[in-house]
Amino acid sequence: MVSASHAASRSISKLQEASNVLTSSLQSSTKATPGEQAPSKQELQTLIEGLKLEASKVGLMWGNNTPSHAEAESLLAGLEQRHSQLLTLLCRAGFSAGPTLLNSLQSAASPVTAACVHLLNCISSDKHGEVAVPTGKVWAACDAAGSTALDNKTAIGRKLLHISRSVKDNIREVQDVISESRLQTSEQQPAHDLEHGSDVDLDFETEPLRPGEIESAEAALSLIQAVLDILKLLVRVILTEQDVSGETTIDDWESLLFHAKSLADVSNDLAAALFAPQDKDEVVSATDSLQTGCELVLDEIPDRLRTPQTDILESLAHRVSCAHNSVMTKLSVDMSTLSL
């Protein structure tokens, strides 16, 4: 008679095999069969809840005592089936998927498999008293997978939103530095904590900007705000797309996403360069790179999407150019003042 623990070990192999099949299928990214329906969120949620239920059954049975061989086989078969059905659904979502969606699907599937394997490892190693936590991890992985994107439009749109939020954070940080610097400059209070020997501030707050640096930061802030508006435009435009599944359409949006990520990275570099003491070369380099990145994104927008947004695109291009020129002017004035 095969033991329940040995049955759990066999199930681990089956789960890992199913995971390997999914990985191989996603990497090949085959096209969907004509007429085949893409999976829905409702289908995904149904399978997610089913897998959570099967994991709970396994955790409950092994948590109380060791089930019989027949009971173990039945419980593990239910877990394997739900796991396989979930991965099959994610595989269906991967048909004709671009790199962003494929990565999203793999990122959703891998933690679910890992959590299920961890649960079964506790069972196979006779750690029955420890199954509550692994069961909870299966639930957590399932809940995370339940929110995964199932189409290119959603996957790319979410990435653009995430990038937009990071740029918005940069704007907030620069605004805070400017506000605090203006406040400290107006108060003109010397640091006296060390002189009085008590209440020493160990927070190591950032050094306030000089008046000339504040002007440079404000000019650069306008450029970063223009970047945020470009990213917001991309989010609005992708929402108007009926479907992002054709090879050309996917390539267009993957390219725009790539350049958008670069914009966010350079925006972060520029925001960091604006902290005191400012290094002119760093600010100039980041500003030039950000202008170039904006131009690349605006140029990458395909004609089919560009035409309805012509006025907005021209306005954004003008704002980027003006903001770039303003930063360079402020830096020149500040440096000439220092040289005097």
Side-chain angles (χ1 to χ4, degrees), residues 37-332:
Q37 294 294 320
S40 66
K41 272 292 183 182
Q42 184 58 49
E43 290 180 84
L44 176 63
Q45 288 301 324
T46 298
L47 292 179
I48 287 293
E49 293 304 319
L51 181 54
K52 289 165 62 175
L53 177 60
E54 295 302 326
S56 297
K57 290 179 181 178
V58 170
L60 181 63
M61 287 297 292
W62 263 275
N64 294 330
N65 49 54
T66 302
S68 66
H69 170 69
E71 291 173 331
E73 289 283 1
S74 176
L75 289 168
L76 295 174
L79 183 68
E80 293 168 15
Q81 182 181 34
R82 287 298 187 181
H83 174 267
S84 177
Q85 289 173 339
L86 175 60
L87 266 57
T88 299
L89 180 141
L90 295 177
C91 184
R92 284 170 51 206
F95 290 149
S96 302
T100 302
L101 176 56
L102 291 174
N103 183 65
S104 175
L105 295 171
Q106 189 66 65
S107 297
S110 296
V112 172
T113 299
C116 289
V117 168
H118 180 49
L119 172 61
L120 298 184
N121 271 326
C122 287
I123 293 172
S124 63
S125 58
D126 293 326
K127 296 179 180 179
H128 300 173
E130 303 175 10
V131 296
V133 173
T135 301
K137 290 183 177 180
V138 173
W139 273 57
C142 285
D143 288 339
S147 62
T148 192
L150 296 177
D151 58 78
N152 292 291
K153 178 179 177 178
T154 304
I156 295 174
R158 286 181 180 177
K159 287 292 184 181
L160 289 172
L161 280 173
H162 178 74
I163 293 169
S164 298
R165 292 191 188 101
S166 70
V167 174
K168 192 173 183 179
D169 289 341
N170 289 332
I171 291 174
R172 188 180 298 110
E173 290 174 0
V174 175
Q175 288 174 331
D176 289 344
V177 170
I178 292 174
S179 298
E180 292 171 6
S181 297
R182 286 194 179 283
L183 181 62
Q184 292 185 44
T185 300
S186 63
E187 292 178 348
Q188 294 183 342
Q189 293 182 351
H192 57 275
D193 292 332
L194 293 177
E195 296 175 4
H196 291 77
S198 61
D199 300 326
V200 179
D201 184 5
L202 297 179
D203 288 339
F204 300 104
E205 295 182 357
T206 57
E207 178 182 340
L209 299 173
R210 296 180 294 102
E213 291 178 328
I214 291 177
E215 293 186 3
S216 299
E218 288 177 330
L221 185 60
S222 297
L223 180 57
I224 302 176
Q225 287 173 329
V227 170
L228 178 60
D229 287 338
I230 290 174
L231 295 174
K232 287 181 177 179
L233 175 64
L234 293 180
V235 172
R236 291 198 302 271
V237 172
I238 197 172
L239 289 176
T240 65
E241 290 275 66
Q242 292 296 323
D243 187 29
V244 181
S245 60
E247 185 174 349
T248 301
T249 304
I250 293 175
D251 288 346
D252 287 341
W253 279 108
E254 290 290 351
S255 178
L256 285 170
L257 179 60
F258 172 81
H259 289 299
K261 290 177 181 177
S262 297
L263 273 186
D265 291 339
V266 181
S267 294
N268 187 61
D269 292 341
L270 177 55
L274 295 175
F275 283 79
Q278 290 179 1
D279 184 301
K280 177 185 176 183
D281 291 338
E282 290 183 2
V283 177
V284 168
S285 176
T287 301
D288 285 341
S289 296
L290 201 53
Q291 181 194 32
T292 301
C294 289
E295 292 173 348
L296 283 172
V297 170
L298 295 176
D299 289 342
E300 281 288 317
I301 297 177
D303 292 339
R304 62 186 174 79
L305 302 175
R306 177 183 299 277
T307 303
Q309 311 290 338
T310 300
D311 293 341
I312 298 176
L313 292 173
E314 290 178 353
S315 174
L316 287 171
H318 179 69
R319 284 177 56 193
V320 169
S321 178
C322 290
H324 174 269
N325 292 337
S326 179
V327 174
M328 295 307 172
T329 300
K330 298 296 183 183
L331 286 173
S332 298

